[in-house]
Amino acid sequence: MSYRLGVDVGGTFTDLLLINEISGQTYTAKVPSTPHDSSEGVLNGIARICQESGVDPKQIHRVMHGTTVATNAVLTEKGAKVGLVTTQGYEQTLQVARSFCPGGLGGWVSFVKKALLAPLELTIGANERIGADGKVVTKLDKEALRSSMQKLADKGEVEAITICFINSYLNNEHEKQAKEIAQQVFADMPISISSEVVPEMQEYERTETTVVNSYVRPEVAKYVNNLQNALIDRMGEDVQLSILRSDGGLASGRASADSPVNLLMSGPAGGVSGAIYFCSRAGYNDILTFDMGGTSTDVALIQNAKAKVRRETIVGDVRVRAPSVDVRTVGAGGGSIAFVPELTKALRVGPESAGAVPGPAAYMKGGEEPTVCDANVVLGYLPADVQLGGAMAIDREAAVKAVQKVADGMGIDLMDAAEGIIKIVNEAMFGALRLVSVEQGYDPRDFALVGFGGAGPLHANALGILTEAWPVIVPPGPGVLCAYGDATTQVQDEAARTYLTLAQDTDAKTLLSDLNDLKDRASESLIADGISKDDLEVIYQADLRYAGQAFEISVEFSEQQLKDQGLDVLTGFFDKEHEKLFTFKLENGHEILMIRAVVKAQSSPIAERNIGQADFALSDCKIQDTRFFYDGQWHDGVIYDRKKLHQELVVAGPAIVNEMDSTTVILPGYQASIDGVGNLLINPAV
């Protein structure tokens, strides 16, 4: 037997999904995350899922992992001390930055600029210069640079080195020479050069991105190497570790350790990949996703079964030039704390979260503050007499005691307070969904809504009512869907270069030749990881704008489309998108700003699994009777076992569908059915 394992580390739980590639059978597990060292949670989860499934760890040959190690290093400001080597006269690039202050028109009043990731005292200037045309203006003074580097090394503070010279995206000769010197001076210290990390124009963005790569590189490399060694000890030498990239593709452990800047949105990308996997196979190619976990909710828009990918990644105040799935995040999760400010007496929820420790009061881990999870317990959406996934007991009395604080603070009834918490958190998620739909020119009613994450299915029906996006889809294993996405996506890499050419000044043959060079570059890392050249597939992209504009739109196309349609395949799609976004288009002046090749490795298929038990009637799927509070009154309902539901059954609300990793609420006036893929589809009752 051959198995693959998907692992997703969240703020509260670490989710695991084990797939038998031959039969399609799946096993799931959730274990508490270990924030001090997330690899502990991963290894604990592997031990549990192998024990519960009876699978020998040595039968697991592929481990796909979504990680927040790089993200946390940036957010907690606990990355490496970075030494920066730049062109003489450009030492202040990071300090000058861009004239942007977060927080609206008056944001500059309270804005406090954070310390530079590469401080000025660890920055040195090299006597060299590459011109804007890529030609050498001043040769690199190697001896002077060696002397400066030695002085920097003698300080004993630097833990990683970044080299970023002006215009090196056109000619990286000097950067490679400087890297050779740095390797001699700094020995085994990780060294990142901008022409390898992000060979693109715009000095600040290129410098910041390469510095961030160095900033998180030691921590990520340590984590990946330790995890790889631990997996080899348990599973044997043949196990392959892959890490999910921010753009939804996978990278090998080696590539992840070298270019960790591509992992900053690794976690949220897994859920999007998992949602696409299940929904596209069921015929739903246009979807809105919301992944509600313990700490936050991530939302995204998927069109034609493809996630929107933006060419930058934002984590906190850090903005880097790295591709990532266009996910928006709000501080609304199951662990979000509800409170009543003394001054306004107006109920607030989040963004502070109880997290994994101490967690919601209902989890009995020491938490005492009222959370969204506690409100769900009080309302009966998360039944206290049915253990959470069979793995964690729930204390309703503790939840009531916590939520009573909100009720007393506002002078209202307990149930009204609990329902108020849920309504506020639902509105917060609805606002995020509007950001990716309405504010980008899309009507949410043209999409299906996909709810997942440990807490997502609890709120999915209510979000469907707010967005009017039907059906509301709850995929199989919604609480571990990010792990499912990790396990079913493809290994990929990309190569890009600045082009800066008017479409009218080039032709398809020249463009294709340049794209093929990028394809070869992008293929190198995959081939180095043992993937056959015959198993690679490529898609090309170009960023276009009208000459004089300051923003661009990405166009995706294949080699055959370029051969058949010429440059019209680029300009035609760009015009269409531009008109949709801004209501106008121009006849000419199309400028090709960037070109790139994205190379993916074909993934081995997974067998289809059986859905439910076809000989069961709805009464056979019943666990017990229940009741929950909705819209100001109590409703009698039934709790069903999702494992037993099949395509011929319809579950009418009020009802609750229970499974190992999540709980789905079906509100009065709505009904749910199962499709051929195993998705739970919620629609208004006929």
Side-chain angles (χ1 to χ4, degrees):
M1 287 291 184
S2 177
Y3 292 85
R4 68 174 69 175
L5 179 68
V7 183
D8 178 71
V9 178
T12 306
F13 289 105
T14 293
D15 304 326
L16 299 98
L17 179 93
L18 185 62
I19 305 176
N20 184 321
E21 294 181 326
I22 307 301
S23 68
Q25 185 176 8
T26 61
Y27 306 92
T28 57
K30 293 177 82 75
V31 296
S33 293
T34 49
H36 63 282
D37 182 359
S38 54
S39 65
E40 285 187 20
V42 174
L43 297 174
N44 292 340
I46 292 174
R48 173 176 290 184
I49 201 168
C50 288
Q51 180 183 11
E52 293 178 353
S53 64
V55 173
D56 185 344
K58 295 189 182 300
Q59 292 180 295
I60 302 173
H61 298 137
R62 298 186 65 191
V63 177
M64 290 90 148
H65 178 25
T67 177
T68 55
V69 173
T71 314
N72 292 340
V74 174
L75 291 176
T76 60
E77 300 179 24
K78 293 182 179 178
K81 288 187 176 180
V82 180
L84 173 61
V85 183
T86 188
T87 303
Q88 206 169 72
Y90 287 82
E91 295 89 345
Q92 306 281 346
T93 298
L94 292 182
Q95 181 69 33
V96 175
R98 296 289 181 192
S99 57
F100 169 75
C101 292
L105 292 176
W108 59 272
V109 176
S110 57
F111 176 62
V112 178
K113 190 171 182 177
K114 291 187 177 180
L116 301 180
L117 297 183
L120 289 174
E121 61 269 20
L122 300 180
T123 299
I124 58 177
N127 184 16
E128 67 83 39
R129 184 59 187 259
I130 300 292
D133 57 359
K135 295 180 181 179
V136 176
V137 177
T138 303
K139 287 186 177 182
L140 176 66
D141 188 335
K142 296 181 181 180
E143 291 309 313
L145 179 60
R146 186 186 302 274
S147 175
S148 298
M149 283 187 175
Q150 190 60 58
K151 292 177 181 177
L152 184 62
D154 291 342
K155 291 184 178 181
E157 299 179 33
V158 177
E159 298 170 331
I161 292 292
T162 292
I163 299 172
C164 184
F165 292 155
I166 187 80
N167 295 325
S168 60
Y169 67 94
L170 293 169
N171 181 347
N172 66 353
E173 177 185 345
H174 287 175
E175 282 197 349
K176 290 193 293 185
Q177 293 173 3
K179 182 178 181 180
E180 291 177 1
I181 298 172
Q183 288 172 331
Q184 297 167 8
V185 174
F186 294 97
D188 296 330
M189 190 174 294
I191 301 167
S192 301
I193 66 173
S194 70
S195 54
E196 292 179 355
V197 175
V198 53
E200 301 179 14
M201 62 184 290
Q202 296 183 321
E203 295 310 309
Y204 169 67
E205 284 77 8
R206 185 155 50 85
T207 305
E208 177 82 339
T209 301
T210 314
V211 165
V212 171
N213 192 75
S214 295
Y215 185 73
V216 301
R217 190 170 172 181
E219 187 71 18
V220 172
K222 176 183 174 183
Y223 174 79
V224 170
N225 292 335
N226 289 345
L227 183 58
Q228 179 79 61
N229 293 333
L231 293 176
I232 290 174
D233 289 341
R234 297 189 182 200
M235 301 174 183
E237 293 286 343
D238 294 335
V239 67
Q240 296 179 358
L241 173 64
S242 300
I243 308 294
L244 193 70
R245 292 161 47 106
S246 302
D247 57 9
L250 286 169
S252 69
R254 179 197 58 78
S256 300
D258 290 342
S259 299
V261 73
N262 291 312
L263 309 180
L264 291 175
M265 293 293 283
S266 172
V272 172
S273 298
I276 293 173
Y277 177 79
F278 280 109
C279 293
S280 60
R281 291 161 68 223
Y284 298 99
N285 293 324
D286 296 338
I287 57 176
L288 292 168
T289 71
F290 80 98
D291 172 8
M292 185 178 182
T295 306
S296 61
T297 295
D298 304 314
V299 304
L301 181 143
I302 314 299
Q303 195 171 34
N304 298 322
K306 289 185 178 180
K308 283 185 169 293
V309 175
R310 56 186 177 188
R311 304 314 305 177
E312 64 178 10
T313 302
I314 304 170
V315 177
D317 292 338
V318 176
R319 185 185 299 256
V320 299
R321 189 69 61 82
S324 64
V325 174
D326 190 6
V327 172
R328 307 299 172 92
T329 302
V330 291
S336 294
I337 296 173
F339 62 99
V340 180
E342 185 67 31
L343 181 62
T344 64
K345 298 293 183 181
L347 176 61
R348 301 282 299 276
V349 180
E352 185 179 353
S353 172
V357 180
Y363 286 3
M364 298 180 291
K365 288 187 174 182
E368 296 180 351
E369 296 302 315
T371 66
V372 172
C373 175
D374 295 316
N376 278 315
V377 172
V378 171
L379 293 170
Y381 300 154
L382 196 57
D385 49 357
V386 178
Q387 288 186 336
L388 186 65
M392 182 180 292
I394 296 174
D395 186 346
R396 188 175 189 276
E397 291 185 6
V400 168
K401 183 178 179 181
V403 175
Q404 188 66 50
K405 295 180 183 179
V406 171
D408 294 343
M410 298 181 68
I412 61 176
D413 179 72
L414 171 70
M415 303 311 296
D416 290 337
E419 194 164 31
I421 293 171
I422 299 303
K423 286 181 177 180
I424 287 177
V425 79
N426 286 345
E427 287 291 342
M429 290 185 286
F430 178 43
L433 286 166
R434 285 179 58 87
L435 285 177
V436 297
S437 58
V438 176
E439 294 197 13
Q440 295 193 43
Y442 298 98
D443 188 337
R445 292 172 294 186
D446 296 334
F447 294 77
L449 180 65
V450 187
F452 54 94
L458 283 166
H459 299 256
N461 198 161
L463 265 293
I465 296 171
L466 291 173
T467 59
E468 298 182 62
W470 304 106
V472 170
I473 303 173
V474 180
V480 296
L481 192 71
C482 288
Y484 220 122
D486 298 342
T488 55
T489 192
Q490 297 170 282
V491 176
Q492 74 177 53
D493 202 355
E494 68 173 53
R497 57 166 283 197
T498 298
Y499 213 59
L500 280 181
T501 302
L502 289 173
Q504 64 199 44
D505 294 338
T506 189
D507 55 64
K509 184 178 179 180
T510 302
L511 178 59
L512 185 57
S513 175
D514 294 330
L515 287 167
N516 281 330
D517 290 341
L518 294 177
K519 178 184 71 174
D520 293 339
R521 274 178 44 200
S523 303
E524 288 175 359
S525 64
L526 277 67
I527 294 172
D529 291 325
I531 299 171
S532 170
K533 193 172 183 179
D534 296 333
D535 292 333
L536 301 181
E537 54 189 43
V538 63
I539 193 73
Y540 296 121
Q541 297 174 351
D543 297 344
L544 277 75
R545 65 184 181 187
Y546 293 124
Q549 284 184 321
F551 63 91
E552 63 277 350
I553 295 174
S554 291
V555 177
E556 189 171 282
F557 57 95
S558 66
E559 180 175 336
Q560 194 59 49
Q561 286 177 311
L562 184 59
K563 289 179 178 178
D564 293 343
Q565 303 175 45
L567 292 178
D568 289 343
V569 70
L570 280 70
T571 58
F573 181 86
F574 172 82
D575 286 341
K576 181 180 177 182
E577 285 295 300
H578 196 280
E579 187 173 26
K580 182 172 72 175
L581 289 171
F582 306 108
T583 72
F584 77 94
K585 62 181 179 181
L586 304 179
E587 296 298 325
N588 49 39
H590 300 88
E591 186 176 27
I592 304 173
L593 188 65
M594 295 285 304
I595 58 173
R596 67 183 62 86
V598 181
V599 179
K600 299 183 179 182
Q602 297 177 5
S603 56
S604 56
I606 301 172
E608 297 292 337
R609 62 194 185 94
N610 295 324
I611 307 300
Q613 295 175 255
D615 56 339
F616 275 18
L618 188 60
S619 58
D620 297 321
C621 305
K622 177 179 175 179
I623 297 176
Q624 65 185 55
D625 292 319
T626 190
R627 66 173 193 151
F628 59 71
F629 192 86
Y630 171 69
D631 202 18
Q633 61 182 358
W634 287 97
H635 299 267
D636 293 325
V638 179
I639 301 176
Y640 295 99
D641 185 350
R642 181 167 179 174
K643 294 195 303 291
K644 298 179 180 179
L645 296 175
H646 54 83
Q647 289 175 263
E648 298 178 9
L649 300 178
V650 174
V651 178
I656 292 173
V657 178
N658 192 61
E659 55 193 307
M660 188 287 295
D661 51 285
S662 194
T663 302
T664 303
V665 173
I666 304 165
L667 298 173
Y670 298 86
Q671 62 185 30
S673 59
I674 298 285
D675 67 14
V677 178
N679 295 311
L680 190 66
L681 309 179
I682 303 175
N683 282 291
V686 179

